[in-house]
Amino acid sequence: MAKLNPYSVDTKKYLHELIKDYDHKLKMSFWSNFYPIIKEEKYKCMKHLRTIKEQEMEEIFTAKMFAYQFHITN
């Protein structure tokens, strides 16, 4: 059976909000000295969010395959 995803909806929402905040800061000249750091942190958040989504898709696929195989054997 598929394992439960350790990431909550709150984690994904938090990462989305961070990415939006980084986008906003990248549009402001006030933060221009920190652009390289902000871009790097934004990339890290996007990568983490992508990893979570990939894990969720893999769990869904695995659960569907398990259910399909279970249906065939009965």
Side-chain angles (χ1 to χ4, degrees), residues 10-26:
D10 291 338
T11 303
K12 292 188 294 185
K13 184 176 178 182
Y14 175 70
L15 288 170
H16 277 292
E17 292 299 320
L18 271 179
I19 292 167
K20 280 202 256 182
D21 185 53
Y22 292 144
D23 282 336
H24 180 69
K25 286 179 177 159
L26 288 170

Side-chain angles (χ1 to χ4, degrees), residues 47-59:
K47 185 176 178 183
H48 189 185
L49 188 59
R50 189 177 322 112
T51 301
I52 291 171
K53 289 180 179 181
E54 287 172 358
Q55 289 173 350
E56 288 177 342
M57 292 302 293
E58 185 177 324
E59 289 174 6

